[in-house]
């Protein structure tokens, strides 16, 4: 169970929808974000990397799409247009089924990679945390870290 503000849930749902559009785009696209989602397996060998991608990229993106759809399904309660009647900063408990946690972690990490690609972030520490363009990137990192901590706590409780 995580606590999430209404506005966060709406924004996260929007990001997931954009992510699903991206992974459904043509697989041969030269979009740097797609390249970041399927990194070079052989950084020193372009031919081997291209061959590896031809053999694995479709399956990898299918997995990313399935994971994104799992996450979107868990966020479906935020898919509404009645924001006017809500306190958008009020937190809501969001139950994530244990079987969905890995899909959430993979998707949050993948969406964060896409955002990093769009912002030109190569390494986590190579951006100004005061620059407002990076707030979504940092927020996704916070959400991912929180989910990992909660998953670890759940694992420890069941052990």
């Amino acid at each position: 169970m995580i606590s999430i503000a209404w506005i966060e849930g709406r924004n996260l749902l929007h990001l997931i929808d954009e992510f699903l559009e991206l992974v459904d785009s043509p697989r041969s696209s030269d979009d740097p974000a797609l390249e970041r989602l399927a990194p070079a397996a052989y950084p020193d060998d372009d031919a081997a990397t291209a061959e590896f991608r031809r053999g694995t990229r479709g399956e990898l993106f299918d997995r990313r799409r399935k994971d994104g759809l799992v996450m979107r399904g868990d966020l479906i309660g935020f898919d509404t247009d009645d924001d006017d009647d809500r306190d958008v900063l009020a937190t809501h408990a969001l139950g994530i089924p244990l079987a969905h946690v890995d899909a959430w972690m993979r998707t949050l990490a993948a969406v964060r990679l896409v955002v990093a690609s769009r912002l030109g972030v190569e390494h986590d520490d190579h951006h100004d945390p005061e620059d407002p363009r990076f707030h979504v990137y940092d927020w996704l990192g916070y959400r991912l870290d929180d989910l990992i901590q909660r998953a670890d706590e759940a694992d420890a409780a069941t052990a």
Side-chain angles (χ1 to χ4, degrees), residues 10-73:
R10 294 279 291 150
N11 288 335
L12 191 52
L13 184 64
H14 179 73
L15 285 170
I16 297 304
D17 286 344
E18 288 184 353
F19 176 73
L20 290 169
E21 277 184 43
L22 179 68
V23 296
D24 283 342
S25 66
R27 303 294 165 97
S28 61
S29 171
D30 290 334
D31 186 330
L34 291 174
E35 297 303 312
R36 190 102 179 241
L37 290 174
Y42 306 99
D44 298 328
D45 188 340
D46 291 341
T49 291
E51 183 65 28
F52 182 80
R53 279 187 175 146
R54 273 192 297 281
T56 62
R57 190 172 180 160
E59 186 177 315
L60 174 64
F61 280 36
D62 287 345
R63 173 65 179 266
R64 291 195 186 282
R65 182 179 195 289
K66 287 177 187 174
D67 286 344
L69 288 171
V70 165
M71 191 170 170
R72 189 185 198 298

Side-chain angles (χ1 to χ4, degrees), residues 131-152:
D131 186 333
R133 295 175 304 147
F134 296 95
H135 290 179
V136 171
Y137 173 77
D138 290 333
W139 171 70
L140 287 166
Y142 161 76
R143 279 288 161 207
L144 180 57
D145 185 57
D146 183 52
L147 185 60
I148 290 168
Q149 287 179 359
R150 292 184 187 279
D152 286 347

Side-chain angles (χ1 to χ4, degrees), residues 77-93:
F78 295 98
D79 193 5
T80 181
D81 292 327
D82 66 348
D83 291 347
D84 293 339
D85 299 330
R86 296 187 181 272
D87 177 357
V88 296
L89 298 178
T91 58
H92 300 273

